[in-house]
Amino acid sequence: MNAAIPLWITHPACSQHEMGAGHPESIARLHAIQDRMNASGLLPMFRTVTAPLAPREALVRVHDPRLVDGILATRPAQGLVRIDPDTALNAHSAEAAQAAAGAVIHGVDELLAGNTRFVFCAVRPPGHHAERRRAMGFCLFNSVAVGAAHALACGLKRVAVLDFDVHYGNGTSDIFRDDPRVLVCNTYQDPYYPGWVSDPANAHLVDAPLRDGDGSAEFRSAVETRWAPAIASFKPELILVSAGFDAHGEDPLAGLNLSFADYAWIGNRIREWADEHAQGRVVATLEGGYDLFALARSVEEFVRAVGF
């Protein structure tokens, strides 16, 4: 198989999960991304596959079994079951969350087999707010954490999770707080949801907070001064990306001012780090991004930079 061909992973259930009329984390997000990727000519350059469902044993590596079993058992025949004011499940949500985690697992397997060097998981619900014992913030299972734990179970010693969502990836840091085999790097707006408090005792949790109104210069400086030295020292064997695009200046849910060029820039930096340390191996999974045009074009810019 040609390892130069990137892999696009999705699942039909990810377009059936719904949390109510008017909810920003909507089915339209995936449709907008797919339309843009087709119009740009990039999607036909990927090998597209359907995600397998993550097995329970992979989910309980990072989540309390009671949380996993509760979500898997919640399949209402109609209507919604609400977890918190922001997060709910419909009849398809459990399968979608299993598929989102399964996409990252499958991406890791394809990379480790040498079948590709870049994977994009076009999946929802997002995952990086889901903690070991709690689903929250639009997230049910922490897909990127499931993938990182799977990579460790496959024998890797050092895995990096890079998270550039506008909201802190509290779930990922909660899960790997005491596991120095996983470097977790975040850029995020602070103060803002979920109100994460930094944990300086754990050097493998690298935080790069940004202030309301910050844009390209502050974002790039934070990445270069906080992330880059940590990545160089850690030397990850695999890079996983929580790819959130809600720090774009047009996004309605936050106050950062990143541009399309910034998503190309961070994509190029991630590719450089992967080439230097990780045999070029990157799996990115979709997190936030709620202005449909800004989301879709940002994904295009990021994917073009990392994968081509």
Side-chain angles (χ1 to χ4, degrees):
M1 192 169 293
N2 187 351
I5 299 175
L7 184 63
W8 187 270
I9 309 181
T10 190
H11 190 281
C14 296
S15 293
Q16 296 172 302
H17 162 64
E18 187 61 87
M19 292 190 287
H23 198 291
E25 206 295 279
S26 71
I27 293 167
R29 299 176 68 231
L30 287 186
H31 294 167
I33 290 169
Q34 180 155 325
D35 288 348
R36 180 80 192 195
M37 290 291 292
N38 271 318
S40 70
L42 283 178
L43 193 57
M45 300 171 68
F46 282 79
R47 178 166 58 93
T48 300
V49 301
T50 299
L53 300 186
R56 182 182 181 276
E57 65 184 29
L59 299 173
V60 299
R61 287 192 185 113
V62 302
H63 290 300
D64 188 297
R66 290 169 293 183
L67 173 64
V68 172
D69 293 340
I71 290 173
L72 294 181
T74 304
R75 300 173 187 262
Q78 58 184 5
L80 300 174
V81 174
R82 193 160 294 282
I83 291 176
D84 65 25
D86 298 319
T87 313
L89 294 87
N90 73 355
H92 306 283
S93 300
E95 184 180 13
Q98 259 189 294
V104 184
I105 290 173
H106 187 65
V108 169
D109 285 342
E110 289 286 286
L111 289 175
L112 296 184
N115 294 333
T116 188
R117 297 181 70 201
F118 174 58
V119 178
F120 190 85
C121 301
V123 292
R124 51 181 294 275
H128 72 154
H129 292 311
E131 299 179 347
R132 186 171 294 277
R133 295 178 177 83
R134 179 171 60 156
M136 59 179 284
F138 309 170
C139 302
L140 302 178
F141 298 137
N142 193 315
S143 303
V144 78
V146 171
H150 176 72
L152 296 173
C154 290
L156 294 190
K157 305 299 184 187
R158 297 179 310 281
V159 176
V161 176
L162 310 183
D163 187 324
F164 53 77
D165 194 278
V166 80
H167 304 98
Y168 190 92
N170 58 295
T172 312
S173 289
D174 173 67
I175 289 165
F176 295 117
R177 183 193 299 266
D178 299 316
D179 191 342
R181 297 175 299 170
V182 181
L183 175 71
V184 182
C185 297
N186 274 273
T187 60
Y188 57 102
Q189 182 176 328
D190 180 56
Y192 202 49
Y193 182 90
W196 175 263
V197 177
S198 183
D199 187 2
N202 287 321
H204 66 287
L205 304 182
V206 179
D207 297 348
L210 303 170
R211 297 297 181 183
D212 185 20
D214 283 353
S216 298
E218 294 85 359
F219 171 69
R220 297 186 189 198
S221 176
V223 168
E224 294 295 0
T225 59
R226 301 288 186 92
W227 286 21
I231 293 166
S233 176
F234 186 73
K235 296 179 174 58
E237 299 171 289
L238 172 70
I239 293 177
L240 304 181
V241 182
S242 278
F245 300 93
D246 41 5
H248 190 276
E250 296 301 318
D251 197 273
L253 294 194
L256 297 184
N257 288 300
L258 299 196
S259 67
F260 299 123
D262 292 314
Y263 292 110
W265 178 83
I266 192 63
N268 277 313
R269 291 298 282 130
I270 289 170
R271 181 168 183 167
E272 289 167 0
W273 291 323
D275 286 344
E276 183 174 0
H277 302 295
Q279 301 177 45
R281 301 184 296 200
V282 178
V283 180
T285 190
L286 180 66
E287 300 284 2
Y290 305 102
D291 178 272
L292 296 181
F293 175 79
L295 167 66
R297 185 173 167 193
S298 297
V299 170
E300 177 195 349
E301 296 293 337
F302 172 74
V303 162
R304 189 187 302 275
V306 184
F308 297 94

